[in-house]
């Protein structure tokens, strides 16, 4: 678009005659996000906050931000939030929830935070059946620190700390922590989603709604893994990264429900 | 004491149990901990009676998780605490640094045991540096209270929560395995948590339409902003140093030798002082109660009237550095300590006093001070006035 023309028009003029199909919910702060173009974080933030808005529970929701790319989540999510130390979001969320059992408490964490340094806190919060929602963004890489290996990095995948590709001898296997958590009796709802297509976004939103409903009914621990891309860390364009994700990530981390209403889906 | 209507009946309790009972009475709503000797009675006592009295009591997967649950609970506006012993407190240092920076009021109890490493389960004061100098990363302070009796193990819990709320700062009670395990008489003061409640408008309790969202964080990525936070914390610590110093003085009016000791070693020194006084040696004692803020001013006002200070600790010599800072070379400073979980006896300390006294009487004041200059690298000019 012609830049000079755009700058000469104000927002109202640009929108004149157009139909408004989406408005930023009040639960999202009206600022630019720092996420890279094509990253899944922005979509996941948006969907989560839409659900909070639609349920009318902004004043009853407390979020916990991790260390990782979403460390600044509280700059975008317009709810009360606590910033946790690296890996400790599940413990911080436990502390909040046990003091305020009638509020909605969620943590929003990446793969390094949740499945490496925070494994103990993650597993034990699930095993206690903490009435919290954990949103787990799995992009198989440490995005914020510049593209190092994550516990979920695929075999053969090149990162800045696995320059020749991840090999099992020195780095072990991709850690399918969501599958492990599904086995725990305290986990009530465990699902794996993606937000790179409109259909995926709709399913993720449904999952968030389900988890909030479970939390309201004090059913126990809910985990939503979002298999996501990292165009910058993977060194791909957004479009290529999404295709790469479908072809390489989904076979290892297949989408779908792992546990529904406290029952394993494959049983 | 029994007739005081502001106190409950006299009970015989372990130090750890008295502390736990006081926490319930102080309105603590969340306890998160991990068992470790010699402090497990705290979580055991709370597990038995805490829940029915309105407290969430959780044994969790690690000390790391426990301190972060305290972070969450304190951030949600509740009075919250954890307790542990030395190795477990080391694991909590990361969380304490975050709590100090995010300015969350809470209580952390360290029932100190011998170290370093896995060490011994016997009592020690080896964690003084860790408690008063920071412990975790970055510039911060805990307020540190050092009880010397089972009664104070209870009393200081109420003070700790009040101080924590007043300054939005973590407070540590630093005791040792002996104070935790010993049984003594204790009376609980009348304390209504409702009357001590402060407004916590910063807490994450759910964003109401009427206010901006509350964010609890220790992340300030812009250097200028981080420095502003640092300066704010330093200002708060200055205020704490000005207003909250607590200590006890015994027989200091005519003292030539000043014992300086806290916690259990102060009790031992008390007896040693009595033994030395019976021998005509003029001994007094300073017992720091707040280890941070440290009673430097008390030392400043005493240093010109004493010949020497004898610092007694159950470690290799930690608080003695603060005593030297307070005395600034204006009196001789000696140290006596036992380690490894061994408690010095009053007779051992008495012997040290008598030897020190004998040496001092053979020395002129000039000798004493020049000897101290050699020890502490204080310039001659700074002490010349006294000569």
């Amino acid at each position: 678009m012609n830049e000079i023309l755009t700058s000469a028009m104000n927002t109202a003029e640009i929108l004149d005659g157009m139909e408004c199909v989406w408005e930023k919910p009040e639960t999202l702060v009206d600022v630019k996000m720092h996420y890279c173009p094509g990253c899944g974080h922005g979509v996941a933030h948006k969907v989560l906050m839409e659900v909070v808005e639609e349920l009318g529970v902004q004043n009853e929701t407390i979020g916990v931000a991790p260390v990782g790319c979403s460390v600044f989540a509280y700059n975008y999510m317009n709810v009360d939030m606590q910033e946790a130390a690296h890996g400790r979001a599940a413990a911080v969320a436990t502390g909040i929830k046990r003091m305020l059992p009638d509020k909605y408490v969620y943590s929003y964490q990446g793969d390094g935070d949740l499945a490496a340094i925070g494994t103990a806190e993650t597993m034990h919060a699930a095993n206690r059946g903490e009435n919290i929602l954990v949103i787990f963004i799995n992009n198989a890489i440490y995005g914020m620190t510049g593209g190092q290996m994550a516990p979920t990095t695929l075999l053969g995948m090149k990162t800045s700390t696995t320059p020749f590709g991840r090999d099992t001898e020195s780095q072990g296997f991709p850690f399918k922590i969501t599958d492990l958590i599904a086995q725990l009796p305290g986990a009530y709802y465990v699902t794996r989603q993606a937000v790179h297509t409109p259909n995926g976004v709709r399913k993720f939103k449904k999952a968030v709604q389900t988890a909030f409903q479970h939390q309201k009914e004090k059913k126990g621990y809910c985990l939503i893994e979002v298999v996501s891309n990292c165009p910058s860390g993977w060194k791909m364009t957004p479009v290529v990264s999404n295709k790469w994700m479908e072809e390489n990530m989904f076979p290892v981390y297949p989408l779908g429900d792992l546990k529904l209403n406290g029952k394993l889906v494959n049983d | 004491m029994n007739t005081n209507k502001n106190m409950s009946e006299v009970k015989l309790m372990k130090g750890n149990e008295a502390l736990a009972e006081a926490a319930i009475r102080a309105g603590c709503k969340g306890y998160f901990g991990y068992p470790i000797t010699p402090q497990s009675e705290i979580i055991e006592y709370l597990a038995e009676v805490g829940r029915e009295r309105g407290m969430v009591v959780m044994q969790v997967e690690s000390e790391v998780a426990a301190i972060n649950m305290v972070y969450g609970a304190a951030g949600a506006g509740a009075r919250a605490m954890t307790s542990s012993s030395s190795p477990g407190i080391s694991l909590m240092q990361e969380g304490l640094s975050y709590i100090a920076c995010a300015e969350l009021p809470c209580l952390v109890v360290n029932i100190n045991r011998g170290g370093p490493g896995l060490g011994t389960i016997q009592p020690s004061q080896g964690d003084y540096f860790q408690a008063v100098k920071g412990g975790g990363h970055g510039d911060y302070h805990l307020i540190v209270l050092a009880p010397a009796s089972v009664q104070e193990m209870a009393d200081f819990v109420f003070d700790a929560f009040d101080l924590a709320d007043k300054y939005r700062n973590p407070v540590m009670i630093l005791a040792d395995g002996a104070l935790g395990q010993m049984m003594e008489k204790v009376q609980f003061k009348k304390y209504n948590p409702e009357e001590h409640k402060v407004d916590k408008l910063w807490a994450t309790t759910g964003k109401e339409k009427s206010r901006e969202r509350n964010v609890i964080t220790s992340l300030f990525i812009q250097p200028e902003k981080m420095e502003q936070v640092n300066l704010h914390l330093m200002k708060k610590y200055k205020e704490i140093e000005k207003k909250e110093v607590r200590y006890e003085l015994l027989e200091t009016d005519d003292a030539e030798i000043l014992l300086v000791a806290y916690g259990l070693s102060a009790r031992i020194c008390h007896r040693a002082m009595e033994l030395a006084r019976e021998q005509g040696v003029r001994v007094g004692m300073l017992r720091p109660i707040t280890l941070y803020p440290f009673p430097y001013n008390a030392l400043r006002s005493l240093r010109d009237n004493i010949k020497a200070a004898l610092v007694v600790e159950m470690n290799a010599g930690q608080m003695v550095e603060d005593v030297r800072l307070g005395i600034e070379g204006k009196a001789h400073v000696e140290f006596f300590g036992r380690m490894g979980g061994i408690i010095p006896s009053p007779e051992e300390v008495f012997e040290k006093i008598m030897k020190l006294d004998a040496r001092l009487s053979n020395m002129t004041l000039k000798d004493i001070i020049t000897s101290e200059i050699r020890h502490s690298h204080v310039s001659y000019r700074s002490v010349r006035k006294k000569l």
Side-chain angles (χ1 to χ4, degrees), chain A residues 70-109:
Chain A
S70 47
V71 68
F72 290 119
Y74 53 75
N75 285 346
Y76 314 127
M77 298 176 179
N78 194 14
V79 295
D80 278 2
M81 289 197 78
Q82 294 195 20
E83 168 58 43
H86 196 19
R88 318 295 172 225
V92 172
T94 298
I96 300 168
K97 185 70 181 186
R98 294 284 176 152
M99 294 300 101
L100 304 169
D102 296 326
K103 307 271 171 163
Y104 297 91
V105 178
Y106 69 86
S107 76
Y108 186 102
Q109 301 174 255

Side-chain angles (χ1 to χ4, degrees), chain B residues 5 85 117 194 208 274 378:
Chain B
K5 64 179 187 324
S85 181
E194 289 302 314
E208 297 296 340
E274 287 172 354
V378 175

Side-chain angles (χ1 to χ4, degrees), chain B residues 9 17-18 20 58 108 122 129 148 153 188 242 250 269 273 284 292 303 306 325-326 328 334 336 349 364 373 380:
Chain B
E9 62 184 293
E17 293 169 349
M58 289 181 70
V108 177
Q122 299 302 323
F129 280 154
M153 289 284 274
F188 295 96
K242 210 165 136 190
L250 291 169
C269 285
M273 181 181 77
Y292 180 84
R303 66 192 183 191
I306 59 167
L325 284 174
E328 289 182 298
E334 275 206 10
F336 174 63
V349 178
T364 65
I373 290 165
Y380 183 75

Side-chain angles (χ1 to χ4, degrees), chain B residues 190-302:
Chain B
K190 286 265 182 296
Y191 183 96
N192 181 359
E194 289 302 314
E195 290 168 10
H196 292 254
K197 219 168 206 167
V198 299
D199 287 334
K200 297 182 178 176
L201 302 174
W202 45 265
T204 58
T205 52
K207 182 202 171 303
E208 297 296 340
K209 289 260 183 274
S210 54
R211 67 161 168 84
E212 290 294 303
R213 70 190 182 287
N214 284 336
V215 174
I216 287 166
T217 184
S218 63
L219 174 67
F220 305 96
I221 205 110
Q222 306 290 345
E224 293 76 15
K225 198 148 186 213
M226 185 71 240
E227 191 179 44
Q228 285 310 308
V229 172
N230 289 133
L231 290 170
H232 164 74
L233 290 176
M234 294 310 121
K235 197 175 157 202
K236 180 170 82 173
Y237 300 146
K238 277 275 170 291
E239 193 188 341
I240 291 169
E241 286 167 12
K242 210 165 136 190
K243 292 183 181 165
E244 304 300 344
V245 175
R246 297 177 195 187
Y247 57 88
E248 184 183 23
L249 293 177
L250 291 169
E251 315 247 12
T252 51
D253 287 351
D254 64 343
E256 293 186 329
I257 295 177
L258 180 73
L259 291 167
V260 188
Y262 71 92
L264 191 69
S265 36
R267 291 175 66 138
I268 292 151
C269 285
H270 194 168
R271 177 65 191 139
M273 181 181 77
E274 287 172 354
L275 293 171
R277 286 250 164 205
E278 282 168 21
Q279 300 299 316
V281 182
R282 290 191 287 176
V283 184
M285 185 164 93
L286 164 66
R287 173 169 79 98
I289 292 172
T290 50
L291 302 182
Y292 180 84
F294 190 77
Y296 294 111
N297 276 338
L299 283 167
R300 283 183 194 118
S301 61
L302 291 166

